[in-house]
Amino acid sequence: GTSRGRAQLAGGFRDNKIQYSAGVAETDVTSGVGGDAPYRDTSVQGRITFHLTPSLRLTARLLGADSFGKILGSTVAFGTPSNLGIVDAIPLSAALTNLYLSGTPLSKINTGNATFIPALDNPDSTRAGRFVDAALILNGQATPSLDYSVSYQLLSNGRRYGDGPAGLGYQPTSSTRSIYDGRVQTADAQLHYRLGRFNLLSAGYEFERETFANDNTQQFIP
């Protein structure tokens, strides 16, 4: 149940005074491990450059991604080792695991020599993520000895976790949601002046701002 696709385009016009490239890619897993672990990841990228004059160039670029997946539960270890040392990891068979998932207590299942149950299905546990990296850059040369650059960059990242009471093992009593968002913004300016053949004078300034937000909510059922 896995599919992948990718498309890319690049070119220029107006005698290459404007150059561009763009692309998109996606990976899609419809079922995944155990038949209930779908996953999707989509990414895009783009870049465009404007040659405003022979000595002035403006560039914009973007990279972004969006993903979603269902999260399996933790493995379940059982049994008492007969001696100390390394315990062989022997998974419970798929048929017996499905029997356990249907509600049969582990004490009523003939586990044989198995020592753990593989990651269990958790029908309502999900994770979604978004990522954006964007920049705007201006490069220029005022004179043969003086050049400069000014840029702004944004880096943004977000995560969304959701869960509910469905599934075995420890589960929240109602629907929950956890949000994690971070952002970094950077502004930069540089100036370079060539003093003769052997010396270069550089000056620069950078400003950075970081923000982070976290929110956890639970739907309480009376």
Side-chain angles (χ1 to χ4, degrees), residues 55-196:
S55 60
L56 185 63
R57 182 175 71 247
L58 178 65
T59 301
R61 60 175 174 81
L62 170 70
L63 172 64
D66 181 90
S67 63
F68 173 83
K70 292 188 66 176
I71 304 175
L72 295 176
S74 301
T75 58
V76 177
F78 55 83
T80 303
S82 58
N83 51 29
L84 298 178
I86 297 176
V87 178
D88 292 334
I90 304 174
L92 192 67
S93 68
L96 295 179
T97 298
N98 291 332
L99 187 63
Y100 176 72
L101 288 173
S102 67
T104 303
L106 192 61
S107 59
K108 296 184 178 182
I109 297 177
N110 182 13
T111 59
N113 62 347
T115 57
F116 78 98
I117 302 176
L120 299 174
D121 184 27
N122 194 342
D124 52 9
S125 180
T126 62
R127 183 186 72 172
R130 291 185 177 90
F131 168 84
V132 174
D133 182 12
L136 189 64
I137 305 168
L138 180 67
N139 291 300
Q141 186 172 15
T143 69
S145 300
L146 178 65
D147 61 76
Y148 59 89
S149 66
V150 180
S151 66
Y152 168 79
Q153 180 166 312
L154 169 67
L155 177 63
S156 179
N157 191 23
R159 291 286 186 271
R160 304 288 188 274
Y161 294 89
D163 201 1
L168 298 177
Y170 172 78
Q171 299 292 335
T173 57
S174 59
S175 297
T176 64
R177 183 185 66 176
S178 298
I179 300 175
Y180 302 87
D181 286 328
R183 176 178 294 183
V184 179
Q185 300 180 77
T186 306
D188 179 87
Q190 297 184 34
L191 187 69
H192 305 283
Y193 184 70
R194 280 168 288 279
L195 299 171

